[in-house]
Amino acid sequence: MSSSVAKIAKEANVSPATVYIYYKNKEDLLVSTFLIIKQQLGKAMLKDFNESKPIRDILHTVWVNTFDFIVKKQELVNYAEQFENSPYSDLVNKNQTDKNFEQILKIFKKGIEQKIIKDVSIDMLEAFIYNPIIVLTNQRKNRNTKLDNKTIETAFQLAWDAIKL
Amino acid sequence: MSSSVAKIAKEANVSPATVYIYYKNKEDLLVSTFLIIKQQLGKAMLKDFNESKPIRDILHTVWVNTFDFIVKKQELVNYAEQFENSPYSDLVNKNQTDKNFEQILKIFKKGIEQKIIKDVSIDMLEAFIYNPIIVLTNQRKNRNTKLDNKTIETAFQLAWDAIKL
Amino acid sequence: MSSSVAKIAKEANVSPATVYIYYKNKEDLLVSTFLIIKQQLGKAMLKDFNESKPIRDILHTVWVNTFDFIVKKQELVNYAEQFENSPYSDLVNKNQTDKNFEQILKIFKKGIEQKIIKDVSIDMLEAFIYNPIIVLTNQRKNRNTKLDNKTIETAFQLAWDAIKL
Amino acid sequence: MSSSVAKIAKEANVSPATVYIYYKNKEDLLVSTFLIIKQQLGKAMLKDFNESKPIRDILHTVWVNTFDFIVKKQELVNYAEQFENSPYSDLVNKNQTDKNFEQILKIFKKGIEQKIIKDVSIDMLEAFIYNPIIVLTNQRKNRNTKLDNKTIETAFQLAWDAIKL
DNA sequence: GATGAATGAGCCTTCATTCAT
DNA sequence: GATGAATGAAGGCTCATTCAT
């Protein structure tokens, strides 16, 4: 976002002009990269996905997968977060990214139907499930809490307590 | 962040050069502004603060105050959020802003001692208390959930369920 | 047109950035300059203008004035001609420049009414009166014919023979 | 001139690199193209050329041929004109193009000898014979006068009146 | 204090040209 | 011959910052 095309190109060991062979302009570069990261995240979250398990277990697996992805691919996630907080994010149709998380949405809806999860909007569930992960893994916002397994489990406990009926 | 000094100066009806009489450079201007907003937020959160009330009630009051401030001063909060997600935020010592929220921190600690709140790090409590507010009020991240009183109360219920023992 | 803003700025002994204080963009710079030149030309052509003289004499005076201006201000005229042959000229409303030559147009119309000048379109009159001057003074198109007084008088003779009835 | 090599290559359905097999560089490409157009024009002007006819008739035929060519091959003529008004034209030796019009030059000289045409320089004759055609057919300089047969005949009348003795 | 004017540095982008295949 | 991929150089433009007044 704030990085210049020249810097991005340098990091990739190519000339700035080369970037414009593969992307129409800076906007295109940033958006395309963001979409790919979101896709990767969606895929990673669904690792060991087993719809037949109890909802709490499914969400727990997704939770752990998400932490895993974010820790291993911190740079990508940092980028995605910055992108979402920049004006460029207006260029992305939310549907484009939502489709990567459809299956997880379904679980939420099922949980609500079965009176396991509170009957609140998806946005709100996200605010208490997905977003705390982002915050806890964000090096700018969290400088003290170490991300060991125990912490991750504790965090899941809070998240689950928040949304469970 | 992305706004130019010229535009900022114009909005204040002064010459760009004048800005440099009051601030050392753009960085200084941005940081100072951020600190002031954080201070205002801290003050607003403490409206009707009454340490003698039950912890849940105190946090509820803080919660409502926070929503109130964010809705009424959206521009300021937008700025603060953008700032925190920009490289400029590295220039701010976290202690500088934390002092605006000391009293609230104390409540958390008291709640933990009294076994009312889960014994987790402050960062984690923040991730489930403060951050959901930010997300729900963020127009980019939340486009569907309306912020009426009922929603705010529901959200508090989730937050409280997350952190309470 | 083909000259870069940097080169233009250098010729004026200023930084390229300075240009943008006075002109909105390159387009604005080029168009504004062109309009000023056209205005100067229009004014120069009307020197010693005396509507009461015979039409041939009036046009002769205009003719000489025009040659004079073009020879003395060759650079400006070169610029104007290049401008008119560039895509930038589409940005200029023809009415904007025509008003500089209104009085001369009137003479043409009067000449036609009085059956002194052939009854043809203004465009065609221009093609035989104004344009030959441009061609003869253009260093690229005319390398052999010297522009002494005798030549100028001869050229006027041809021009007049072309348009007179 | 302002078109990029990439675009020119695309229009010819070849790779930009291929252009450099046939032409040394862009300059070479532009100049070569210009010379070919001038050659075509020269050839077209001489259609039905019959040296034994009266001079006025010969020039009339040339005149009509020229209009014909310009109208039918507007794109080529536009290109040639743009080229002649660009710095690239300095790279063309005038003799290179003049040879395409030698026979017409001869007619002029003969007309002068026979005291049918005014004894003025070839440049000046061109300024009143060839150039008005260019101006009248130029869409930027002439927006009102329609180029029907009658107009073309009228224009020839002016041109002939200009140069005839 | 305040500011109008000026600018060096940097940004996004295009383009003529090269070269390995 | 032909080309896809790559790039150095340059172009138009913006901006944080300075400084004489």
Side-chain angles (χ1 to χ4, degrees):
Chain A
M1 273 48 67
S2 56
S3 194
S4 75
V5 171
K7 276 178 202 153
I8 294 169
K10 199 174 199 176
E11 214 153 312
N13 282 322
V14 294
S15 151
T18 306
V19 170
Y20 288 85
I21 297 171
Y22 299 95
Y23 301 96
K24 213 181 127 205
N25 48 31
K26 188 183 185 181
E27 185 180 304
D28 184 22
L29 162 63
L30 296 180
V31 169
S32 300
T33 305
F34 172 72
L35 290 178
I36 287 172
I37 293 173
K38 273 289 183 181
Q39 202 180 309
Q40 285 186 24
L41 171 60
K43 207 171 163 185
M45 287 169 90
L46 293 179
K47 199 186 145 213
D48 302 327
F49 186 80
N50 182 344
E51 213 174 335
S52 62
K53 281 200 195 166
I55 282 176
R56 189 187 187 279
D57 290 1
I58 296 177
L59 289 183
H60 183 263
T61 303
V62 169
W63 178 274
V64 173
N65 287 340
T66 307
F67 254 98
D68 226 52
F69 182 83
I70 293 180
V71 169
K72 282 192 185 131
K73 315 255 169 150
Q74 268 218 5
E75 283 175 30
L76 300 188
V77 178
N78 280 348
Y79 171 85
E81 221 191 323
Q82 261 183 64
F83 181 93
E84 282 182 315
N85 268 79
S86 82
Y88 284 110
S89 76
D90 292 343
L91 301 167
V92 177
N93 190 320
K94 234 202 161 196
N95 297 339
Q96 268 176 292
T97 52
D98 275 0
K99 67 164 187 248
N100 297 305
F101 308 100
E102 266 173 5
Q103 300 200 52
I104 297 165
L105 279 193
K106 263 197 234 160
I107 301 300
F108 283 145
K109 284 175 188 159
K110 199 165 126 190
I112 292 171
E113 275 172 31
Q114 300 183 354
K115 316 248 179 210
I116 295 171
I117 291 177
K118 290 182 181 122
D119 185 6
V120 297
S121 73
I122 298 295
D123 281 335
M124 199 175 291
L125 291 177
E126 261 181 39
F128 285 91
I129 283 273
Y130 178 68
N131 219 264
I133 304 183
I134 292 294
V135 177
L136 288 169
T137 53
N138 184 314
Q139 291 179 315
R140 261 208 268 273
K141 290 183 179 155
N142 171 2
R143 287 212 179 82
N144 303 314
T145 307
K146 292 231 174 102
L147 293 182
D148 50 23
N149 279 347
K150 208 184 134 193
T151 309
I152 293 173
E153 290 304 325
T154 306
F156 179 69
Q157 189 61 51
L158 269 74
W160 179 251
D161 286 347
I163 67 168
K164 80 150 190 267
L165 239 191
Chain B
M1 272 45 68
S2 55
S3 196
S4 75
V5 172
K7 274 176 203 149
I8 294 168
K10 197 174 194 178
E11 215 152 313
N13 284 322
V14 293
S15 156
T18 306
V19 171
Y20 286 83
I21 296 171
Y22 296 96
Y23 301 96
K24 211 182 124 206
N25 49 29
K26 188 183 184 182
E27 191 178 299
D28 185 20
L29 161 63
L30 295 180
V31 170
S32 302
T33 306
F34 172 71
L35 291 178
I36 287 171
I37 293 173
K38 272 292 183 180
Q39 201 180 308
Q40 284 186 26
L41 172 61
K43 205 170 166 188
M45 287 169 92
L46 292 178
K47 198 188 147 212
D48 301 327
F49 187 79
N50 181 345
E51 214 174 335
S52 62
K53 280 201 193 166
I55 282 177
R56 189 187 185 280
D57 290 1
I58 297 176
L59 289 183
H60 182 264
T61 303
V62 170
W63 177 274
V64 173
N65 288 341
T66 307
F67 255 98
D68 229 51
F69 182 82
I70 293 180
V71 169
K72 281 191 186 133
K73 314 258 169 145
Q74 268 215 7
E75 283 176 31
L76 300 188
V77 177
N78 280 347
Y79 172 86
E81 222 191 322
Q82 262 183 64
F83 182 92
E84 282 182 313
N85 269 79
S86 83
Y88 285 111
S89 77
D90 292 342
L91 302 165
V92 177
N93 190 318
K94 234 204 161 195
N95 296 340
Q96 269 175 290
T97 52
D98 275 1
K99 70 166 185 241
N100 297 305
F101 309 100
E102 266 172 6
Q103 299 200 55
I104 297 166
L105 280 192
K106 262 197 234 161
I107 300 300
F108 283 145
K109 283 174 189 160
K110 197 165 129 190
I112 292 171
E113 275 172 31
Q114 300 184 354
K115 315 249 179 212
I116 295 171
I117 291 178
K118 291 181 180 126
D119 184 6
V120 298
S121 72
I122 298 297
D123 281 336
M124 199 175 291
L125 291 178
E126 259 181 39
F128 285 90
I129 285 272
Y130 179 67
N131 219 263
I133 303 184
I134 292 294
V135 177
L136 288 170
T137 53
N138 184 313
Q139 290 178 316
R140 259 207 269 273
K141 289 185 178 154
N142 172 1
R143 286 209 179 86
N144 302 314
T145 307
K146 291 228 174 105
L147 293 183
D148 49 23
N149 279 347
K150 208 184 133 194
T151 309
I152 293 172
E153 290 305 323
T154 305
F156 178 70
Q157 189 60 51
L158 270 75
W160 179 250
D161 286 348
I163 67 169
K164 78 148 191 271
L165 239 189
Chain C
M1 274 46 69
S2 55
S3 193
S4 74
V5 171
K7 275 177 203 153
I8 294 168
K10 199 173 197 177
E11 214 152 312
N13 282 322
V14 293
S15 152
T18 306
V19 170
Y20 289 86
I21 297 171
Y22 298 96
Y23 300 96
K24 212 180 128 207
N25 49 31
K26 188 183 184 182
E27 186 180 305
D28 184 22
L29 161 63
L30 296 181
V31 170
S32 301
T33 306
F34 171 72
L35 290 178
I36 287 172
I37 293 173
K38 273 289 182 179
Q39 203 181 309
Q40 285 186 24
L41 171 60
K43 207 169 162 187
M45 287 169 89
L46 292 179
K47 199 186 146 214
D48 301 327
F49 186 81
N50 181 346
E51 213 174 334
S52 62
K53 281 201 195 163
I55 282 177
R56 189 186 185 280
D57 290 2
I58 296 177
L59 289 182
H60 183 263
T61 303
V62 169
W63 177 274
V64 172
N65 288 341
T66 307
F67 253 98
D68 225 52
F69 181 82
I70 293 180
V71 168
K72 281 192 185 133
K73 315 255 170 150
Q74 268 217 5
E75 282 176 31
L76 299 187
V77 178
N78 279 348
Y79 172 86
E81 220 191 324
Q82 261 183 65
F83 182 92
E84 282 183 313
N85 268 81
S86 82
Y88 284 109
S89 75
D90 292 342
L91 302 167
V92 177
N93 190 320
K94 235 203 161 195
N95 297 338
Q96 269 176 291
T97 52
D98 275 1
K99 66 164 187 250
N100 297 305
F101 308 101
E102 265 172 7
Q103 301 199 52
I104 298 166
L105 279 193
K106 262 198 234 160
I107 300 301
F108 282 145
K109 282 174 189 160
K110 199 165 125 191
I112 292 172
E113 274 172 32
Q114 301 183 351
K115 315 249 179 211
I116 295 170
I117 291 178
K118 290 182 181 124
D119 185 5
V120 298
S121 72
I122 298 296
D123 282 334
M124 198 175 292
L125 291 178
E126 260 180 38
F128 285 91
I129 285 272
Y130 178 67
N131 218 264
I133 304 183
I134 292 293
V135 177
L136 287 170
T137 52
N138 185 314
Q139 290 180 315
R140 260 209 266 274
K141 288 183 180 156
N142 171 2
R143 287 211 179 81
N144 302 314
T145 307
K146 292 233 173 100
L147 293 183
D148 49 24
N149 279 347
K150 207 183 133 195
T151 309
I152 292 173
E153 290 305 325
T154 305
F156 178 70
Q157 189 61 50
L158 269 74
W160 180 251
D161 287 347
I163 67 168
K164 79 151 192 268
L165 239 191
Chain D
M1 271 46 68
S2 55
S3 196
S4 75
V5 172
K7 274 177 204 149
I8 294 169
K10 198 174 194 179
E11 215 153 311
N13 284 321
V14 294
S15 154
T18 306
V19 170
Y20 287 84
I21 297 170
Y22 296 95
Y23 301 96
K24 213 181 126 204
N25 49 30
K26 189 183 183 182
E27 191 179 298
D28 185 20
L29 162 62
L30 295 179
V31 170
S32 302
T33 305
F34 172 71
L35 291 178
I36 287 171
I37 293 173
K38 273 291 184 180
Q39 203 180 308
Q40 283 186 28
L41 171 60
K43 205 169 163 187
M45 287 169 91
L46 293 178
K47 199 187 147 215
D48 301 327
F49 186 80
N50 182 343
E51 214 173 333
S52 62
K53 281 200 194 165
I55 282 178
R56 189 187 186 280
D57 289 1
I58 297 176
L59 289 182
H60 182 264
T61 303
V62 169
W63 177 274
V64 173
N65 287 341
T66 307
F67 254 98
D68 227 51
F69 182 81
I70 293 180
V71 169
K72 281 192 185 133
K73 313 258 169 146
Q74 269 217 3
E75 285 175 29
L76 300 188
V77 178
N78 280 347
Y79 171 86
E81 222 191 321
Q82 262 182 64
F83 182 93
E84 283 183 313
N85 269 80
S86 82
Y88 285 111
S89 76
D90 292 342
L91 302 166
V92 177
N93 190 318
K94 233 203 163 195
N95 296 338
Q96 269 176 290
T97 52
D98 276 1
K99 69 166 186 240
N100 297 304
F101 308 100
E102 267 172 4
Q103 299 200 55
I104 297 165
L105 280 193
K106 262 197 234 162
I107 300 300
F108 283 146
K109 283 174 188 159
K110 197 165 127 191
I112 292 171
E113 276 171 31
Q114 300 184 353
K115 315 250 179 211
I116 295 171
I117 291 177
K118 290 180 181 128
D119 184 6
V120 297
S121 72
I122 297 297
D123 281 335
M124 198 175 292
L125 290 178
E126 258 180 41
F128 284 90
I129 283 273
Y130 179 66
N131 219 264
I133 303 184
I134 292 294
V135 177
L136 287 172
T137 53
N138 185 314
Q139 290 178 315
R140 259 207 269 272
K141 290 186 179 154
N142 172 1
R143 286 209 178 86
N144 302 314
T145 307
K146 291 229 175 106
L147 293 183
D148 49 22
N149 279 347
K150 207 183 136 196
T151 310
I152 293 173
E153 290 304 324
T154 306
F156 178 70
Q157 188 60 50
L158 270 75
W160 179 251
D161 286 348
I163 66 169
K164 78 149 190 270
L165 239 190

